[in-house]
Amino acid sequence: MERARVLLLDVAPGELLGRELERLLGHGLAVTLNLRRVADPAGVRAAWTGRVDFTDVDGFDETALIAETVRGGIGFHAVKSRAGVPLRAAFLAAATDPALANRLRVIGRAGAGTDHVELAAAVRLGVAVTHTPASNANAVAEFALAQLFALTRSLVAHNTSAHQGSWSPQLTPAVELSELTLGIVGLGRIGRALADRATALGLAVQGFARSPAEPGPVPRAASLAALLATSDAVSLHLPLTAQTRGLIGRSELALMRPGSILLNTARGGIVDEQALADALRDPAHPLAAAAVDTFEHEHAAFASPLFGLPNALLTPHVAGMTRAAMATAALRCADHIAALLAGRPAGVPVVTG
């Protein structure tokens, strides 16, 4: 029986690469590894030739990705990504063309969220889309706290000043975390993990979620507006959907407390970046600073109006990139793909909208 074919658009880095490949091969899958984002492609070729096939394609170039997927009329049964390569309607239509020997049936994301996939097209074409929710919950929660520490204690400014040979004592005393109220927008796995850690550090915590309130340890604000107006720092932990796109815009930012901080480790499109940049440039605006790990335009098209603002702490979507989180995501994603291809969907998260 012919093995199901899987295209790895991006593999886990470092020693995790081998673990991910062994997991997929252990499931009896035929793996084609994209070398475009591999740190040592020559070494990987030497180590894995004969066990996996190789390609080298820019996944963010849709035309090139489609060409690779349909090359020779062979196709792939599954595609796995980690860094959110966009898989839109044109790609999905090409990858499920009946003329292909192997029609796309599964898309796996090693990480939380599936906004990189055009879900309506996937459902229409019979492609199951799975991801690994909770695999990075602890990592992202820790990172949000790191953002908060960095901004409340002006670590970046002090570091820059010291490296320039300037001994500049802080003229205005910093606040301690126990003096602050943290508002968490989105009380899923990451939001709850952050609430646990923040509470242990002495912060007052409140949350807001669109889902009906359930009994739990995080007090609920009556509305998003109420949370924004009564929090010293606001951390976003929502998926990007039609309902959450642009959720934080000019009017929402204007509601925030004087001297407040916004943290975004969720998705870039949730925040109006231009409105955020304008707020951070305005010394009279209540928002004092922001830490942003996710952007509207990332990767090859990475651009933001936040560039150059001293009160904007910017990082390249790395909140969930710890060894433990990435290993969990990679191996769990491999298991999900194999289960769906084998017709065993029980327990596998499949996103339809």
Side-chain angles (χ1 to χ4, degrees):
M1 182 177 177
E2 186 178 359
R3 295 185 295 165
R5 288 168 47 84
V6 180
L7 172 62
L8 269 64
L9 289 178
D10 43 21
V11 74
E15 59 90 16
L16 296 178
L17 179 151
R19 293 177 63 188
E20 182 176 18
L21 290 178
E22 290 289 2
R23 189 66 151 249
L24 289 162
L25 294 170
H27 283 302
L29 303 175
V31 176
T32 296
L33 170 59
N34 184 19
L35 294 169
R36 180 57 58 99
R37 303 184 68 172
V38 171
D40 179 18
V44 170
R45 277 188 180 274
W48 291 92
T49 292
R51 300 190 66 192
V52 305
D53 294 325
F54 302 98
T55 188
D56 188 342
V57 62
D58 180 1
F60 293 92
D61 181 339
E62 185 177 57
T63 300
L65 179 58
I66 289 174
E68 173 60 27
T69 302
V70 304
R71 183 162 55 91
I74 299 173
F76 295 93
H77 297 100
V79 170
K80 174 263 175 181
S81 71
R82 174 177 58 83
V85 169
L87 301 177
R88 305 306 185 201
F91 166 79
L92 292 166
T96 56
D97 190 329
L100 291 175
N102 304 295
R103 185 176 182 276
L104 183 66
R105 293 163 45 201
V106 176
I107 291 172
R109 168 76 180 272
T114 56
D115 51 279
H116 65 302
V117 181
E118 195 163 330
L119 292 174
V123 171
R124 185 176 68 253
L125 294 166
V127 179
V129 181
T130 183
H131 64 145
T132 59
S135 59
N136 63 358
N138 291 337
V140 176
E142 290 177 4
F143 193 87
L145 284 175
Q147 291 176 317
L148 187 58
F149 274 116
L151 290 178
T152 56
R153 301 305 297 268
S154 303
L155 295 185
V156 175
H158 288 315
N159 177 69
T160 300
S161 177
H163 276 287
Q164 292 173 347
S166 175
W167 188 264
S168 303
Q170 187 162 317
L171 300 179
T172 303
V175 297
E176 294 185 11
L177 295 189
S178 60
E179 301 176 64
L180 304 179
T181 295
L182 173 64
I184 301 174
V185 183
L187 293 173
R189 297 172 178 87
I190 297 173
R192 295 195 301 271
L194 174 58
D196 291 343
R197 287 158 173 75
T199 300
L201 289 169
L203 286 95
V205 176
Q206 62 177 336
F208 173 76
R210 291 173 171 266
S211 59
E214 297 179 0
V218 183
R220 294 279 191 118
S223 64
L224 176 60
L227 179 137
L228 295 173
T230 57
S231 299
D232 300 294
V234 174
S235 192
L236 305 178
H237 300 284
L238 298 160
L240 179 61
T241 66
Q243 291 72 39
T244 63
R245 182 174 291 279
L247 183 70
I248 306 297
R250 294 183 190 278
S251 59
E252 289 76 23
L253 293 170
L255 295 173
M256 297 182 72
R257 272 185 174 177
S260 59
I261 292 170
L262 180 69
L263 313 175
N264 186 11
T265 55
R267 290 291 187 269
I270 294 171
V271 179
D272 181 336
E273 282 181 40
Q274 187 60 60
L276 178 59
D278 292 343
L280 293 174
R281 288 192 182 93
D282 181 0
H285 197 282
L287 184 69
V292 181
D293 186 55
T294 56
F295 299 83
E296 180 75 21
H297 301 289
E298 296 184 353
H299 306 292
F302 181 41
S304 174
L306 297 166
F307 287 178
L309 296 178
N311 52 349
L313 176 62
L314 310 182
T315 50
H317 207 151
V318 295
M321 294 179 67
T322 63
R323 286 182 296 179
M326 295 182 74
T328 298
L331 301 181
R332 192 175 294 169
C333 184
D335 294 344
H336 290 170
I337 289 171
L340 291 174
L341 289 175
R344 295 183 280 102
V348 177
V350 174
V351 182
T352 58

PDB file of all heavy atoms in Angstrom, residues 192 212-220:
ATOM      1  N   ARG A 192      -5.909  32.086  30.622  1.00  0.00           N
ATOM      2  CA  ARG A 192      -5.993  31.535  31.972  1.00  0.00           C
ATOM      3  C   ARG A 192      -4.600  31.265  32.553  1.00  0.00           C
ATOM      4  O   ARG A 192      -4.361  31.466  33.750  1.00  0.00           O
ATOM      5  CB  ARG A 192      -6.830  30.255  31.967  1.00  0.00           C
ATOM      6  CG  ARG A 192      -8.289  30.485  31.595  1.00  0.00           C
ATOM      7  CD  ARG A 192      -9.148  29.288  31.959  1.00  0.00           C
ATOM      8  NE  ARG A 192      -8.725  28.059  31.323  1.00  0.00           N
ATOM      9  CZ  ARG A 192      -9.139  27.633  30.136  1.00  0.00           C
ATOM     10  NH1 ARG A 192      -9.999  28.360  29.432  1.00  0.00           N
ATOM     11  NH2 ARG A 192      -8.724  26.488  29.633  1.00  0.00           N
ATOM     12  N   PRO A 212     -20.014  33.145  27.092  1.00  0.00           N
ATOM     13  CA  PRO A 212     -20.746  33.359  28.342  1.00  0.00           C
ATOM     14  C   PRO A 212     -19.863  33.106  29.552  1.00  0.00           C
ATOM     15  O   PRO A 212     -19.009  32.220  29.545  1.00  0.00           O
ATOM     16  CB  PRO A 212     -21.884  32.332  28.266  1.00  0.00           C
ATOM     17  CG  PRO A 212     -22.039  32.036  26.813  1.00  0.00           C
ATOM     18  CD  PRO A 212     -20.665  32.164  26.209  1.00  0.00           C
ATOM     19  N   ALA A 213     -20.061  33.905  30.573  1.00  0.00           N
ATOM     20  CA  ALA A 213     -19.240  33.777  31.771  1.00  0.00           C
ATOM     21  C   ALA A 213     -19.492  32.441  32.455  1.00  0.00           C
ATOM     22  O   ALA A 213     -20.632  32.016  32.616  1.00  0.00           O
ATOM     23  CB  ALA A 213     -19.550  34.917  32.734  1.00  0.00           C
ATOM     24  N   GLU A 214     -18.410  31.779  32.820  1.00  0.00           N
ATOM     25  CA  GLU A 214     -18.496  30.546  33.592  1.00  0.00           C
ATOM     26  C   GLU A 214     -17.814  30.772  34.930  1.00  0.00           C
ATOM     27  O   GLU A 214     -16.882  31.575  35.034  1.00  0.00           O
ATOM     28  CB  GLU A 214     -17.810  29.399  32.839  1.00  0.00           C
ATOM     29  CG  GLU A 214     -18.459  29.061  31.509  1.00  0.00           C
ATOM     30  CD  GLU A 214     -17.716  27.944  30.804  1.00  0.00           C
ATOM     31  OE1 GLU A 214     -16.712  27.456  31.358  1.00  0.00           O
ATOM     32  OE2 GLU A 214     -18.140  27.565  29.698  1.00  0.00           O
ATOM     33  N   PRO A 215     -18.251  30.081  35.960  1.00  0.00           N
ATOM     34  CA  PRO A 215     -17.585  30.235  37.257  1.00  0.00           C
ATOM     35  C   PRO A 215     -16.103  29.903  37.127  1.00  0.00           C
ATOM     36  O   PRO A 215     -15.724  28.920  36.507  1.00  0.00           O
ATOM     37  CB  PRO A 215     -18.314  29.220  38.142  1.00  0.00           C
ATOM     38  CG  PRO A 215     -19.641  29.022  37.485  1.00  0.00           C
ATOM     39  CD  PRO A 215     -19.393  29.151  36.017  1.00  0.00           C
ATOM     40  N   GLY A 216     -15.268  30.760  37.681  1.00  0.00           N
ATOM     41  CA  GLY A 216     -13.837  30.533  37.576  1.00  0.00           C
ATOM     42  C   GLY A 216     -13.081  31.539  38.411  1.00  0.00           C
ATOM     43  O   GLY A 216     -13.661  32.457  38.998  1.00  0.00           O
ATOM     44  N   PRO A 217     -11.751  31.404  38.448  1.00  0.00           N
ATOM     45  CA  PRO A 217     -10.943  32.240  39.325  1.00  0.00           C
ATOM     46  C   PRO A 217     -10.707  33.657  38.807  1.00  0.00           C
ATOM     47  O   PRO A 217     -10.212  34.503  39.546  1.00  0.00           O
ATOM     48  CB  PRO A 217      -9.628  31.466  39.423  1.00  0.00           C
ATOM     49  CG  PRO A 217      -9.539  30.732  38.127  1.00  0.00           C
ATOM     50  CD  PRO A 217     -10.953  30.371  37.770  1.00  0.00           C
ATOM     51  N   VAL A 218     -11.009  33.920  37.512  1.00  0.00           N
ATOM     52  CA  VAL A 218     -10.732  35.238  36.943  1.00  0.00           C
ATOM     53  C   VAL A 218     -12.005  36.079  36.957  1.00  0.00           C
ATOM     54  O   VAL A 218     -12.967  35.760  36.261  1.00  0.00           O
ATOM     55  CB  VAL A 218     -10.204  35.121  35.499  1.00  0.00           C
ATOM     56  CG1 VAL A 218      -9.848  36.499  34.959  1.00  0.00           C
ATOM     57  CG2 VAL A 218      -8.996  34.196  35.441  1.00  0.00           C
ATOM     58  N   PRO A 219     -12.043  37.174  37.719  1.00  0.00           N
ATOM     59  CA  PRO A 219     -13.225  38.040  37.705  1.00  0.00           C
ATOM     60  C   PRO A 219     -13.460  38.603  36.303  1.00  0.00           C
ATOM     61  O   PRO A 219     -12.504  38.947  35.603  1.00  0.00           O
ATOM     62  CB  PRO A 219     -12.865  39.152  38.694  1.00  0.00           C
ATOM     63  CG  PRO A 219     -11.758  38.601  39.522  1.00  0.00           C
ATOM     64  CD  PRO A 219     -11.010  37.654  38.651  1.00  0.00           C
ATOM     65  N   ARG A 220     -14.705  38.674  35.889  1.00  0.00           N
ATOM     66  CA  ARG A 220     -15.059  39.156  34.558  1.00  0.00           C
ATOM     67  C   ARG A 220     -15.449  40.633  34.599  1.00  0.00           C
ATOM     68  O   ARG A 220     -16.248  41.056  35.435  1.00  0.00           O
ATOM     69  CB  ARG A 220     -16.239  38.369  34.005  1.00  0.00           C
ATOM     70  CG  ARG A 220     -15.962  36.896  33.729  1.00  0.00           C
ATOM     71  CD  ARG A 220     -15.253  36.686  32.407  1.00  0.00           C
ATOM     72  NE  ARG A 220     -15.235  35.286  32.046  1.00  0.00           N
ATOM     73  CZ  ARG A 220     -15.812  34.781  30.953  1.00  0.00           C
ATOM     74  NH1 ARG A 220     -16.481  35.547  30.131  1.00  0.00           N
ATOM     75  NH2 ARG A 220     -15.731  33.487  30.697  1.00  0.00           N
TER      76      ARG A 220
END
